[in-house]
Amino acid sequence: MRTIKLGSSSLEVPVVAVGCMRINAISKKEAERFVQTALEQGANFFDHADIYGGGECEEIFADAIQMNEAVREKIILQSKCGIREGRFDFSKDYILQSVDGILQRLKTDYLDVLLLHRPDALVEPEEVAEAFDLLESSGKVRHFGVSNQNPMQIELLKKFVRQPIVANQLQLSITNATMISSGINVNMENESAINRDGSVLDYCRLHDVTIQPWSPFQYGFFEGVFLGNDSFPELNKKIDELAEKYEVSNTTIAIAWLLRHPANMQPVIGTMNLKRLKDCCKASEIRLTREEWYEIYRAAGNILP
């Protein structure tokens, strides 16, 4: 598995992150096999959140991997906090409380990465800074990041937070590529020219923040997958054509499209299917040409100006 540096940190991570949001949907034996398969593929970066399964997913993962000190040294753990029932919460007390719960469920003393999950309209960055300082000094969290945040929200945090923001987890796929399209359609009056996220792609590249695309196979907001979907005939035709050329699956090509972008992204895959897991990991071996990348982009219905 090819690796990259996570943001401005010295942490080497695989280019594919294994999302564990759905691990509570499979049996214990299946979970053990899934985690072992990921490790065999070199995918030792596991993404969690305290809300996944109400915390159950973290517990299932810890049991599936048979967490102990020797195992912990071989894996990279990331989790997220800040989403509560009916609200978001970046208060100091809640961040600290959340991390303690995450560590207990994962049966570990520390997280490699903690992300703030969804922007809190009532965020007081001074409190976030205090929480981050306590988590870092206690050794409970080694690196920090955000999820679904725009550049100015990150800048507001950075005014008070000392630690580098190393990652930003954002929804991005071939069919949900507005952050790419707005950069292509600069100075245009079409729909694709609308800048919906404050140039977050360019911002993250400028400031060494690794973008972690979530839902890399989804279109819309959890409306379904585009692979094999009759609503995207041209896209699937092009993806299948390239899959045949490279002798890989369509799943591999979809992830390879994200990895071809020079921003050095780290897609978060959410499948619990072993074959699709392997297919996603295989994308690290594929480098699409510039022409092929644009062919896929256009096949998704995007028009170049």
Side-chain angles (χ1 to χ4, degrees), residues 18 22 50 102 110 118 136 140 203 227 241 274 296:
V18 180
R22 299 182 179 90
D50 58 358
I102 290 167
Y110 69 95
R118 281 264 175 199
E136 183 182 49
K140 292 180 179 180
Y203 175 89
L227 290 178
E241 174 188 310
L274 297 186
I296 291 174

Side-chain angles (χ1 to χ4, degrees), residues 212-228:
Q212 297 178 331
W214 57 266
S215 289
F217 304 108
Q218 292 278 337
Y219 68 93
F221 187 69
F222 291 123
E223 292 175 32
V225 298
F226 55 80
L227 290 178

